[in-house]
Amino acid sequence: MEQTLTLVVKLNATPEQSSQLEETAQIFTDACAWINENVNHRLTNRNSIQVVCYQDIKEQFGLKANDIVRACARVGANRLAAKAKGKKVKGFKPRSFDCDGRTLSFRDKDWTISVASKGKRLRLSLRASNYQRGKLFAYKPTSAQICQHRDGQWYAHIQLKDTAPQPKKTSNVIGVDFGRREIPRTTTDKGWDGKDIQQKRDKFSRVRASLQKRASQGTRSTRRRCRETLKKLSGRENRYQQWLNHNISKSIIEEAKARNSTVAIEDLRGIRDRSNEKPGNKTHRRRSNSWAFYQLRLFLEYKGIKEGVKVIVIPPAYTSQTCHCCNHIGVRTNKNFKCSNQECSWIGDADLNGALMIQKWVAL
């Protein structure tokens, strides 16, 4: 089984090189926008789009053949993603462009990449960590995306293709229940308390609200300092959540690998819409909407592929309300669960009961 790994590596670009990268990204974006506006919106296949507009793009924007192919591929991928959400592609930002095996090459003797820009090929040095250097040395880059991040610096999102082991057939299952009080709780009685995390997110929210208020009502110097501080804080909460999700998913997959088990989780897509329909104040909605459950699911899935651990997604209906012992609907109050069946009357932790019910659902 083949898996694609993406390495985000910072580029040490000179001012002249940064200017050329910006020009290339602008032309590439203009070409994508032209394709999206002038080619039938029902076309989502890269080859179909390319047949229609290849010659026009080459004459109008002066792009090379490989760049035109990558532009058509980006438009097609964006259309597919928008179609899945029932929307249309709004536009493209001039902050990135795509490269393939011919427009990008890697040289390990001096840790540089060669990128084809609008004017000439650029030799850019990589600011790679030891982990990234090890991956780049072991696998040949197949494609990359050159991006300008919000800090104004240029980065290479390098794709590496690796062969992942086939998941082993096993009857062992580790059920994982997602929630706010305990982010995940497993059937092996491991959990990550969400109280400290919620307090940190509440602090981020209070600081942002205070700075935004001062940035609009204070003196001129105060507004400027608040805007600068907001820029520094921007994305810090997301990075914290991403770091935590990486640690949680890594721990679960490592345990599943050691126990030769499959991991079973709930499909929580659409949970925000369902939560917002219920009555609640602004703080409750913010707390419900702020946790990245889907990101945690993605991390579990790709780490599972890498380690040969199968991850199964099941419907979430009634998993946290059903008793895992007798399959009767019980009463859940905060962290406590009580089975309503008089013959069973199981009482225990609600999140543990949900994880055990997910495990039982897969076993059935």
Side-chain angles (χ1 to χ4, degrees):
M1 186 176 181
E2 198 172 60
Q3 183 182 29
T4 301
L5 175 67
T6 302
L7 299 178
V8 181
V9 187
K10 188 174 183 179
L11 301 175
N12 291 324
T14 64
E16 182 182 355
Q17 290 174 333
S18 297
S19 178
Q20 290 178 329
L21 291 175
E22 289 177 4
E23 182 184 3
T24 305
Q26 183 64 59
I27 296 173
F28 185 87
T29 303
D30 292 341
C32 290
W34 190 93
I35 295 170
N36 189 51
E37 292 176 1
N38 294 276
V39 177
N40 192 333
H41 285 274
R42 289 178 293 181
L43 293 180
T44 57
N45 181 269
R46 179 191 71 184
N47 295 328
S48 301
I49 297 173
Q50 182 180 328
V51 169
V52 175
C53 65
Y54 178 87
Q55 196 61 37
D56 293 333
I57 294 297
K58 190 171 185 179
E59 293 175 358
Q60 186 168 345
F61 297 95
L63 290 177
K64 297 179 181 178
N66 295 82
D67 295 328
I68 297 174
V69 171
R70 299 316 309 163
C72 294
R74 176 177 288 195
V75 174
N78 284 18
R79 285 182 174 181
L80 281 174
K83 185 179 180 180
K85 298 178 181 178
K87 301 179 180 178
K88 292 184 179 180
V89 178
K90 294 182 179 179
F92 300 86
K93 294 183 179 180
R95 292 182 179 176
S96 65
F97 60 94
D98 299 339
C99 301
D100 58 16
R102 293 188 177 182
T103 56
L104 176 136
S105 61
F106 167 68
R107 194 165 67 186
D108 57 3
K109 69 177 183 180
D110 56 357
W111 299 102
T112 60
I113 59 171
S114 175
V115 179
S117 66
K118 175 60 178 174
K120 60 179 181 179
R121 289 191 75 93
L122 303 177
R123 178 64 62 178
L124 303 165
S125 61
L126 300 175
R127 229 174 129 182
S129 64
N130 290 333
Y131 168 79
Q132 293 169 336
R133 286 173 181 249
K135 290 294 183 182
L136 287 170
F137 188 78
Y139 305 99
K140 182 180 179 180
T142 57
S143 58
Q145 191 177 69
I146 309 300
C147 305
Q148 186 180 35
H149 287 195
R150 297 182 68 178
D151 59 0
Q153 301 296 319
W154 287 91
Y155 293 78
H157 295 228
I158 303 173
Q159 283 86 42
L160 307 173
K161 288 186 178 180
D162 187 14
T163 302
Q166 289 291 338
K168 297 180 181 179
K169 293 183 179 180
T170 176
S171 58
N172 301 327
V173 179
I174 295 178
V176 182
D177 180 69
F178 293 154
R180 276 173 48 196
R181 293 180 179 87
E182 274 194 293
I183 304 163
R185 181 67 179 266
T186 68
T187 50
T188 57
D189 207 20
K190 283 190 175 182
W192 284 261
D193 188 10
K195 186 176 180 180
D196 294 338
I197 300 161
Q198 181 173 292
Q199 290 176 350
K200 287 190 176 183
R201 291 206 302 262
D202 289 345
K203 182 180 178 181
F204 277 121
S205 178
R206 290 195 301 269
V207 171
R208 280 198 306 270
S210 176
L211 288 172
Q212 288 168 355
K213 183 177 180 180
R214 293 182 181 182
S216 60
Q217 297 181 359
T219 62
R220 182 176 181 180
S221 59
T222 301
R223 294 198 303 270
R224 176 175 53 79
R225 286 196 299 268
C226 288
R227 287 194 296 269
E228 292 174 354
T229 307
L230 281 169
K231 188 175 181 180
K232 292 178 181 178
L233 292 176
S234 177
R236 185 173 293 181
E237 182 178 0
N238 291 335
R239 290 193 297 273
Y240 170 71
Q241 285 193 152
Q242 187 180 41
W243 169 82
L244 191 61
N245 278 338
H246 270 301
N247 282 274
I248 293 172
S249 58
K250 181 180 179 181
S251 178
I252 293 173
I253 294 299
E254 285 181 347
E255 184 179 17
K257 184 179 180 182
R259 293 173 177 263
N260 190 25
S261 302
T262 297
V263 176
I265 60 176
E266 298 171 293
D267 185 2
L268 296 181
R269 287 180 296 183
I271 190 173
R272 291 183 179 180
D273 296 332
R274 295 192 295 271
S275 298
N276 291 335
E277 290 175 357
K278 299 178 181 179
N281 56 29
K282 183 178 179 180
T283 302
H284 175 78
R285 288 195 298 272
R286 175 181 56 77
R287 289 174 176 174
S288 298
N289 295 338
S290 61
W291 189 255
F293 288 116
Y294 187 67
Q295 184 187 73
L296 179 56
R297 169 184 166 177
L298 292 179
F299 288 175
L300 283 169
E301 288 177 340
Y302 96 78
K303 284 181 170 64
I305 294 173
K306 182 181 178 182
E307 299 297 336
V309 176
K310 190 175 182 180
V311 178
I312 300 175
V313 182
I314 69 166
Y318 299 102
T319 53
S320 61
Q321 302 174 35
T322 307
C323 177
H324 71 278
C325 295
C326 63
N327 295 338
H328 277 72
I329 300 296
V331 179
R332 175 170 181 166
T333 307
N334 296 327
K335 279 282 289 178
N336 301 316
F337 180 88
K338 182 178 181 181
C339 181
S340 58
N341 183 11
Q342 294 182 354
E343 296 180 0
C344 176
S345 300
W346 185 86
I347 299 176
D349 184 88
D351 295 321
L352 178 60
N353 174 72
L356 290 169
M357 192 61 208
I358 294 170
Q359 182 188 49
K360 186 175 182 179
W361 195 99
V362 176
L364 294 175

